[in-house]
Short mmCIF file of all heavy atoms in Angstrom, two decimals:
data_model
loop_
_atom_site.label_atom_id
_atom_site.label_comp_id
_atom_site.label_asym_id
_atom_site.label_seq_id
_atom_site.Cartn_x
_atom_site.Cartn_y
_atom_site.Cartn_z
N GLY A 58 115.50 98.23 101.48
CA GLY A 58 115.12 97.06 100.64
C GLY A 58 113.99 97.64 99.86
O GLY A 58 113.15 96.77 99.33
N SER A 59 113.83 98.90 99.64
CA SER A 59 112.75 99.44 98.74
C SER A 59 112.92 98.85 97.34
O SER A 59 113.99 98.85 96.77
CB SER A 59 112.68 100.90 98.70
OG SER A 59 112.31 101.43 100.02
N GLY A 60 111.70 98.34 96.73
CA GLY A 60 111.90 97.83 95.36
C GLY A 60 110.62 97.15 94.94
O GLY A 60 109.62 97.13 95.67
N ILE A 61 110.68 96.63 93.83
CA ILE A 61 109.59 95.74 93.34
C ILE A 61 110.04 94.17 93.61
O ILE A 61 111.16 93.81 93.26
CB ILE A 61 109.50 95.90 91.70
CG1 ILE A 61 109.29 97.38 91.48
CG2 ILE A 61 108.29 95.05 91.24
CD1 ILE A 61 108.10 98.06 92.06
N TYR A 62 109.10 93.50 94.25
CA TYR A 62 109.37 92.05 94.65
C TYR A 62 108.44 91.20 93.91
O TYR A 62 107.28 91.52 93.64
CB TYR A 62 109.13 92.05 96.16
CG TYR A 62 110.37 92.58 96.93
CD1 TYR A 62 110.46 94.02 97.09
CD2 TYR A 62 111.18 91.83 97.62
CE1 TYR A 62 111.37 94.54 97.89
CE2 TYR A 62 112.18 92.30 98.50
CZ TYR A 62 112.35 93.66 98.59
OH TYR A 62 113.30 94.22 99.41
N THR A 63 108.98 90.08 93.70
CA THR A 63 108.04 88.98 93.09
C THR A 63 107.56 88.19 94.46
O THR A 63 108.29 87.85 95.23
CB THR A 63 108.73 87.97 92.12
OG1 THR A 63 107.79 87.18 91.73
CG2 THR A 63 109.97 87.29 92.72
N ASP A 64 106.15 88.05 94.39
CA ASP A 64 105.61 87.20 95.53
C ASP A 64 105.48 85.83 95.11
O ASP A 64 104.60 85.54 94.18
CB ASP A 64 104.11 87.97 95.79
CG ASP A 64 103.35 87.36 96.95
OD1 ASP A 64 103.61 86.10 97.12
OD2 ASP A 64 102.46 87.92 97.42
N ILE A 65 106.15 84.91 95.66
CA ILE A 65 106.23 83.52 95.29
C ILE A 65 104.86 82.93 95.41
O ILE A 65 104.46 82.18 94.78
CB ILE A 65 107.34 82.78 96.07
CG1 ILE A 65 108.63 83.39 95.83
CG2 ILE A 65 107.34 81.42 95.77
CD1 ILE A 65 109.21 83.34 94.45
N HIS A 66 104.16 83.17 96.62
CA HIS A 66 102.92 82.65 96.84
C HIS A 66 101.81 83.04 95.99
O HIS A 66 101.13 82.25 95.44
CB HIS A 66 102.49 82.93 98.37
CG HIS A 66 101.26 82.29 98.76
ND1 HIS A 66 100.02 82.88 98.57
CD2 HIS A 66 100.97 81.10 99.42
CE1 HIS A 66 99.12 82.11 99.12
NE2 HIS A 66 99.69 81.05 99.48
N ASP A 67 101.57 84.37 95.78
CA ASP A 67 100.51 84.89 95.04
C ASP A 67 100.82 84.90 93.47
O ASP A 67 99.89 85.04 92.71
CB ASP A 67 100.19 86.35 95.40
CG ASP A 67 99.54 86.35 96.83
OD1 ASP A 67 99.27 85.29 97.37
OD2 ASP A 67 99.35 87.42 97.29
N GLY A 68 102.12 84.75 93.17
CA GLY A 68 102.53 84.78 91.70
C GLY A 68 102.29 86.19 91.06
O GLY A 68 102.16 86.22 89.84
N ASP A 69 102.47 87.19 91.91
CA ASP A 69 102.34 88.58 91.32
C ASP A 69 103.53 89.47 91.94
O ASP A 69 104.53 88.88 92.40
CB ASP A 69 100.92 89.17 91.59
CG ASP A 69 100.66 89.31 93.10
OD1 ASP A 69 101.57 88.97 93.96
OD2 ASP A 69 99.57 89.71 93.51
N GLN A 70 103.31 90.71 91.77
CA GLN A 70 104.44 91.63 92.16
C GLN A 70 103.88 92.59 93.26
O GLN A 70 102.79 93.02 93.08
CB GLN A 70 105.14 92.32 91.11
CG GLN A 70 105.95 91.32 90.12
CD GLN A 70 106.44 92.09 88.89
OE1 GLN A 70 106.29 93.30 88.77
NE2 GLN A 70 107.04 91.43 88.07
N LYS A 71 104.79 93.01 94.05
CA LYS A 71 104.50 94.02 95.17
C LYS A 71 105.57 95.06 95.17
O LYS A 71 106.67 94.80 94.84
CB LYS A 71 104.27 93.26 96.49
CG LYS A 71 103.53 92.23 96.68
CD LYS A 71 102.06 92.40 96.61
CE LYS A 71 101.15 91.34 97.02
NZ LYS A 71 101.13 90.13 96.29
N ARG A 72 105.14 96.28 95.43
CA ARG A 72 106.10 97.37 95.57
C ARG A 72 106.27 97.57 97.12
O ARG A 72 105.38 97.67 97.79
CB ARG A 72 105.56 98.69 94.99
CG ARG A 72 106.56 99.74 95.17
CD ARG A 72 106.06 101.11 94.63
NE ARG A 72 107.06 102.15 95.04
CZ ARG A 72 107.48 103.09 94.29
NH1 ARG A 72 107.17 103.08 92.97
NH2 ARG A 72 108.35 103.97 94.74
N ILE A 73 107.63 97.56 97.54
CA ILE A 73 107.85 97.78 98.94
C ILE A 73 108.69 99.07 99.03
O ILE A 73 109.55 99.31 98.31
CB ILE A 73 108.84 96.69 99.45
CG1 ILE A 73 108.26 95.29 99.19
CG2 ILE A 73 109.25 96.89 100.92
CD1 ILE A 73 107.00 94.94 100.06
N ASP A 74 108.12 99.93 99.99
CA ASP A 74 108.87 101.19 100.15
C ASP A 74 109.26 101.25 101.63
O ASP A 74 108.37 100.93 102.55
CB ASP A 74 107.93 102.44 99.86
CG ASP A 74 107.69 102.57 98.44
OD1 ASP A 74 108.72 102.77 97.73
OD2 ASP A 74 106.57 102.36 97.89
N VAL A 75 110.48 101.36 101.86
CA VAL A 75 110.96 101.50 103.27
C VAL A 75 111.35 103.03 103.59
O VAL A 75 112.13 103.60 102.83
CB VAL A 75 112.27 100.69 103.45
CG1 VAL A 75 112.82 100.83 104.95
CG2 VAL A 75 111.93 99.20 103.29
N SER A 76 110.64 103.57 104.60
CA SER A 76 110.94 105.00 105.02
C SER A 76 112.04 105.00 106.10
O SER A 76 111.92 104.34 107.18
CB SER A 76 109.67 105.65 105.50
OG SER A 76 110.05 106.79 106.07
N THR A 77 113.06 105.61 105.74
CA THR A 77 114.22 105.71 106.66
C THR A 77 114.05 106.87 107.77
O THR A 77 114.65 106.85 108.75
CB THR A 77 115.65 105.97 106.06
OG1 THR A 77 115.47 107.22 105.33
CG2 THR A 77 116.03 104.85 105.05
N ILE A 78 112.97 107.71 107.47
CA ILE A 78 112.76 108.77 108.41
C ILE A 78 111.77 108.24 109.59
O ILE A 78 112.08 108.39 110.69
CB ILE A 78 111.97 110.00 107.69
CG1 ILE A 78 112.96 110.60 106.69
CG2 ILE A 78 111.47 111.01 108.60
CD1 ILE A 78 112.36 111.47 105.69
N ASP A 79 110.71 107.64 109.17
CA ASP A 79 109.70 107.04 110.30
C ASP A 79 109.93 105.65 110.45
O ASP A 79 109.25 104.95 111.24
CB ASP A 79 108.35 107.56 110.06
CG ASP A 79 107.75 107.18 108.78
OD1 ASP A 79 108.45 106.39 107.97
OD2 ASP A 79 106.60 107.36 108.39
N ARG A 80 110.81 105.00 109.66
CA ARG A 80 111.07 103.50 109.82
C ARG A 80 109.79 102.67 109.70
O ARG A 80 109.53 101.95 110.57
CB ARG A 80 111.83 103.29 111.17
CG ARG A 80 113.15 103.92 111.15
CD ARG A 80 114.00 103.75 112.38
NE ARG A 80 115.32 104.33 112.14
CZ ARG A 80 116.22 104.31 113.03
NH1 ARG A 80 116.07 103.52 114.04
NH2 ARG A 80 117.37 104.92 112.72
N THR A 81 109.19 102.82 108.50
CA THR A 81 107.95 102.10 108.26
C THR A 81 108.17 101.37 106.86
O THR A 81 109.06 101.65 106.19
CB THR A 81 106.73 102.99 108.08
OG1 THR A 81 107.06 103.99 107.13
CG2 THR A 81 106.37 103.64 109.39
N LEU A 82 107.44 100.37 106.86
CA LEU A 82 107.34 99.51 105.66
C LEU A 82 106.07 99.60 104.98
O LEU A 82 105.00 99.49 105.68
CB LEU A 82 107.60 97.97 106.08
CG LEU A 82 107.40 96.97 104.93
CD1 LEU A 82 108.49 96.81 103.96
CD2 LEU A 82 107.30 95.58 105.80
N SER A 83 106.07 100.05 103.73
CA SER A 83 104.73 100.12 103.02
C SER A 83 104.70 99.09 101.89
O SER A 83 105.67 98.95 101.20
CB SER A 83 104.52 101.45 102.48
OG SER A 83 104.57 102.46 103.39
N ILE A 84 103.66 98.38 101.72
CA ILE A 84 103.34 97.42 100.82
C ILE A 84 102.15 97.75 99.89
O ILE A 84 101.11 98.07 100.48
CB ILE A 84 103.25 95.97 101.42
CG1 ILE A 84 104.38 95.71 102.30
CG2 ILE A 84 103.03 94.90 100.37
CD1 ILE A 84 104.17 94.42 103.21
N ARG A 85 102.32 97.64 98.50
CA ARG A 85 101.17 97.88 97.72
C ARG A 85 101.40 96.97 96.48
O ARG A 85 102.42 96.59 96.26
CB ARG A 85 101.04 99.34 97.34
CG ARG A 85 102.15 99.79 96.35
CD ARG A 85 102.15 101.27 96.21
NE ARG A 85 102.83 101.93 97.39
CZ ARG A 85 102.36 103.09 97.97
NH1 ARG A 85 101.30 103.68 97.45
NH2 ARG A 85 102.98 103.52 98.93
N PRO A 86 100.25 96.63 95.80
CA PRO A 86 100.40 95.79 94.61
C PRO A 86 101.17 96.48 93.45
O PRO A 86 101.09 97.85 93.43
CB PRO A 86 98.97 95.61 94.19
CG PRO A 86 98.08 96.52 94.91
CD PRO A 86 98.93 97.02 96.10
N HIS A 87 101.81 95.87 92.66
CA HIS A 87 102.55 96.37 91.55
C HIS A 87 102.16 95.66 90.27
O HIS A 87 102.16 94.43 90.18
CB HIS A 87 104.07 96.30 91.64
CG HIS A 87 104.80 96.95 90.52
ND1 HIS A 87 105.02 98.32 90.41
CD2 HIS A 87 105.50 96.25 89.50
CE1 HIS A 87 105.72 98.45 89.33
NE2 HIS A 87 105.96 97.19 88.78
N GLY A 88 101.79 96.46 89.14
CA GLY A 88 101.57 95.93 87.91
C GLY A 88 100.06 95.35 87.82
O GLY A 88 99.87 94.42 87.03
N SER A 89 99.19 95.77 88.77
CA SER A 89 97.82 95.39 88.65
C SER A 89 96.88 96.59 88.92
O SER A 89 97.50 97.68 89.16
CB SER A 89 97.62 94.17 89.86
OG SER A 89 97.46 94.85 91.02
N ASP A 90 95.65 96.34 88.83
CA ASP A 90 94.66 97.47 89.01
C ASP A 90 94.30 97.53 90.49
O ASP A 90 93.42 98.35 90.88
CB ASP A 90 93.50 97.31 88.13
CG ASP A 90 92.73 96.05 88.33
OD1 ASP A 90 93.21 95.21 89.13
OD2 ASP A 90 91.74 95.77 87.60
#
Side-chain angles (χ1 to χ4, degrees):
S59 293
I61 306 301
Y62 285 71
T63 184
D64 178 337
I65 301 297
H66 181 273
D67 291 352
D69 59 6
Q70 295 178 357
K71 308 292 193 294
R72 178 183 173 130
I73 305 295
D74 291 295
V75 176
S76 170
T77 59
I78 297 169
D79 59 3
R80 297 185 176 181
T81 57
L82 171 71
S83 297
I84 303 169
R85 69 188 82 222
H87 178 77
S89 78
D90 58 357

